[in-house]
Amino acid sequence: MFEALSYPYERAQTYTDSNLPAVLSDQFYNPTQDNLALLFGALYGQSASIAKDEFERESNGFVTVGGLVGSQFLLQSATNAKASSASGAATGDHGIWLLQNDAGGALHDIIIYDSDNYVGTRRFIWAVRLQLTAGTKAALDTAANSGIVAGMGTLASNLPTFYGGSDQANWRISVNAATYDSGVALSDSTWYWLVVARQTNNDIKFWIKSGAGALTLVRTVSWGGNLTGCKRYLRCLGTAGSAAGHGLNIDMFTRGIER
Amino acid sequence: MNFFPQSRTHPARQPFSAAPRYIDGKGPSPVEFFDATQDNLGALYHAHLLTDWSGSTEDFERPIRYPSSAYIGDFRIVTNTDIAAGPGLSIASANAQEAGEHGVWSFLSGTDGWLFDMQTGPCYVGTSDFLVTCKVRVVSRARLSPVANGGLWIGCGAKADDYPAIVGGSDDPNWYLYAPMLASPWIETDIPFYDESSGIGVKGWYVLQISRVNGALRYFINGRLCPVNGKEGVIYDTDLPAVRRYLHSQAWNATVANDGFYVDYFHRLCRRG
């Protein structure tokens, strides 16, 4: 569940009828049982929990501060923020909400989040698919001021997050009071999958999928810290130069946590 | 050789059914079992936590309409009027009355007919695979509008968007398939559309499914494949920008109180790429 580029997300082995490789216990039989058990445990048992929002609920107009975004997120913003469901523009856009500057001509501060999770020292995975609308990046506040933040909490929380701003070319990573350049460009109108997960050995791995590219590991940080106050958290903070329509589209925001 | 092409959106194949069955001493075909098991598990994981699939379920367990009276779970009530432009169907969480009813909502009328639509948001699936599954029953088929008017219409997209659907109505005792890719889009099935007044079964629940696998669209009623003009399915590799869970119902004549329909669950699974 917590390793995005391994089984069960990717095949451990491809088995062919005519030239069958050995079906190994540590490659197929045991991981299959373990992964199935973890998924059943997360959905209907006790071993983990999963919460996901596909943003498939239609808004029928605009949601304002204090309203429900998607099915699970509170729109908790201070300034010039509104949200609404939107149509997908391309294959793979499955239930979209647009979070945007409301009035324009002044800064916007769009924040959505769900309930708290006490992750502790357990393994976890957080994943979000989002896209800045046209013209948004240049009007974001700086990265250090939380121009765009997506992950497990605020930038100040030191929880694992992706972040960026108008002063940075790339997505950046914040974790345990340290920051890193992901090496992946942050651009308007590009869909990004941002994924972070903690492994058994306490490695916290960060992956990014940019547009049609592959999901790619961009940073590994070892941290077995006790994580509290973890949310699915997203913030988009504009400057005085931001305009109506600036903001972002969101497609999915999910997380799984070992209990 | 694999006689069972894999797809996570074919409701009569793995992983929805265990076929074929295996016996000790005769191992499975590797492609058929080992690869398929990895892929099925992977799709489920992706649908919940990662990139390649998406899925949504609605078991109608919420006891109230939330976040407002315009919603039932993730479904938005688009239209709900009666023939006198009144408030339409009365919608409420209903008591389960038989085994297998796990969270049910009722959509019941006054003495006027109704026009009703509810839907979730659109999924741009392109030419990818998808599966939509709905369990529904009606109080009286005979008082619904005719098939062509969509007495009860369960679709993988909105009626106005001309997406495939499974439809029943007052003018024919059988279920119909709506196949918009065909010159003659209405296909009568040989599956009767009973209602709770018929005395057939207990309450006349139907599970209606629309599936696309590698460009082939198939319809299923209560797990049974419904042929399209004598064939198993129909080629429908059209780019689809707005697959959604969609229910329409219409009874455009005066009726009796507490006419209408019930819904138990409504799910969808779509491949992203």
Side-chain angles (χ1 to χ4, degrees):
Chain A
M1 179 184 286
F2 307 106
E3 170 55 74
L5 296 180
S6 297
Y7 189 51
Y9 299 108
E10 304 287 342
R11 285 184 183 175
Q13 175 64 269
T14 293
Y15 303 96
T16 54
D17 288 347
S18 58
N19 186 24
L20 179 64
V23 184
L24 302 173
S25 60
D26 65 347
Q27 195 176 57
F28 180 83
Y29 293 113
N30 291 331
T32 297
Q33 295 184 86
D34 292 345
N35 285 317
L36 199 53
L38 193 54
L39 192 57
F40 267 83
L43 297 176
Y44 310 111
Q46 60 174 341
S47 60
S49 73
I50 290 175
K52 69 162 182 167
D53 198 330
E54 296 276 7
F55 294 92
E56 208 175 332
R57 187 180 66 83
E58 292 187 318
S59 63
N60 195 27
F62 289 107
V63 172
T64 54
V65 175
L68 187 65
V69 171
S71 297
Q72 300 173 357
F73 288 85
L74 173 69
L75 180 59
Q76 183 59 56
S77 309
T79 310
N80 274 351
K82 65 181 179 182
S84 60
S85 56
S87 297
T91 298
D93 297 352
H94 294 181
I96 304 293
W97 274 60
L98 170 61
L99 316 174
Q100 60 178 315
N101 184 311
D102 186 3
L107 68 85
H108 62 262
D109 190 4
I110 303 164
I111 301 171
I112 64 168
Y113 56 76
D114 72 333
S115 297
D116 258 24
N117 297 281
Y118 198 124
V119 173
T121 57
R122 304 294 192 194
R123 291 181 294 173
F124 63 82
I125 182 168
W126 250 245
V128 60
R129 184 173 191 253
L130 58 81
Q131 175 198 54
L132 296 183
T133 60
T136 294
K137 192 197 171 196
L140 288 177
D141 208 328
T142 63
N145 285 341
S146 303
I148 176 84
V149 179
M152 300 177 71
T154 65
L155 206 51
S157 71
N158 291 322
L159 293 165
T161 58
F162 296 87
Y163 74 107
S166 56
D167 61 332
Q168 298 289 331
N170 296 337
W171 280 104
R172 296 187 60 78
I173 287 165
S174 172
V175 55
N176 191 21
T179 62
Y180 308 92
D181 186 335
S182 74
V184 176
L186 169 58
S187 305
D188 294 332
S189 306
T190 298
W191 279 105
Y192 295 98
W193 279 96
L194 309 172
V195 183
V196 56
R198 179 151 65 188
Q199 314 300 306
T200 304
N201 64 359
N202 288 331
D203 278 355
I204 296 180
K205 293 185 176 181
F206 296 82
W207 296 267
I208 298 179
K209 183 179 189 297
S210 175
L215 187 67
T216 303
L217 180 67
V218 295
R219 174 64 61 173
T220 300
V221 177
S222 181
W223 187 33
N226 182 53
L227 305 186
T228 63
C230 304
K231 307 170 183 293
R232 284 176 289 169
Y233 178 88
L234 178 63
R235 182 179 188 184
C236 181
L237 176 61
T239 63
S242 61
H246 285 171
L248 54 88
N249 290 300
I250 186 165
D251 185 336
M252 185 188 191
F253 206 158
T254 182
R255 60 99 184 135
I257 313 170
E258 189 177 49
R259 283 196 197 276
Chain B
M1 182 178 293
N2 180 13
F3 294 101
F4 298 90
Q6 299 304 313
S7 175
R8 273 48 66 185
T9 57
H10 191 304
R13 294 178 182 158
Q14 294 178 2
F16 296 100
S17 66
R21 306 295 296 178
Y22 301 109
I23 57 174
D24 290 344
K26 183 179 173 64
S29 157
V31 169
E32 175 186 288
F33 181 80
F34 297 112
D35 285 353
T37 299
Q38 292 181 91
D39 294 347
N40 292 334
L41 187 58
L44 200 52
Y45 264 88
H46 273 277
H48 279 91
L49 289 165
L50 222 54
T51 58
D52 293 354
W53 289 80
S54 75
S56 294
T57 60
E58 179 57 67
D59 277 306
F60 295 97
E61 283 195 283
R62 282 182 181 157
I64 59 170
R65 295 170 70 182
Y66 181 80
S68 77
S69 61
Y71 292 93
I72 306 168
D74 279 354
F75 285 83
R76 182 170 71 89
I77 309 302
V78 180
T79 309
N80 188 15
T81 62
D82 68 17
I83 58 175
L89 297 171
S90 176
I91 304 168
S93 176
N95 293 331
Q97 298 179 44
E98 65 179 47
E101 295 185 13
H102 299 175
V104 172
W105 275 66
S106 60
F107 303 74
L108 300 177
S109 70
T111 55
D112 291 324
W114 64 84
L115 180 63
F116 179 87
D117 295 272
M118 71 175 187
Q119 66 186 31
T120 56
C123 296
Y124 200 131
V125 302
T127 58
S128 295
D129 295 353
F130 65 84
L131 172 65
V132 169
T133 300
C134 179
K135 182 185 174 191
V136 63
R137 70 177 168 92
V138 303
V139 175
S140 171
R141 180 190 57 79
R143 290 193 291 270
L144 294 173
S145 290
V147 170
N149 291 340
L152 182 70
W153 178 296
I154 304 298
C156 60
K159 186 168 178 278
D161 291 341
D162 209 27
Y163 276 53
I166 300 175
V167 186
S170 57
D171 55 338
D172 197 289
N174 292 331
W175 284 100
Y176 272 73
L177 313 178
Y178 180 65
M181 73 296 292
L182 301 177
S184 300
W186 291 103
I187 312 292
E188 183 178 7
T189 73
D190 60 358
I191 299 177
F193 181 177
Y194 295 121
D195 55 42
E196 69 176 33
S197 65
S198 67
I200 304 298
V202 181
K203 290 292 181 185
W205 282 105
Y206 286 91
V207 177
L208 310 175
Q209 295 178 292
I210 302 171
S211 154
R212 184 165 76 177
V213 179
N214 296 329
L217 194 83
R218 297 176 177 85
Y219 302 82
F220 296 82
I221 298 177
N222 285 348
R224 180 178 160 192
L225 180 68
C226 301
V228 178
N229 293 336
K231 297 186 169 70
E232 180 176 321
V234 57
I235 297 300
Y236 186 55
D237 53 4
T238 305
D239 182 272
L240 296 177
V243 165
R244 64 175 92 223
R245 290 171 285 170
Y246 175 82
L247 184 152
H248 165 89
S249 183
Q250 183 172 326
W252 214 234
N253 291 299
T255 181
V256 299
N258 293 320
D259 205 352
F261 57 93
Y262 296 78
V263 184
D264 188 341
Y265 55 78
F266 206 156
H267 309 321
R268 66 117 188 134
L269 178 65
C270 303
R271 187 168 202 142
R272 280 195 191 271

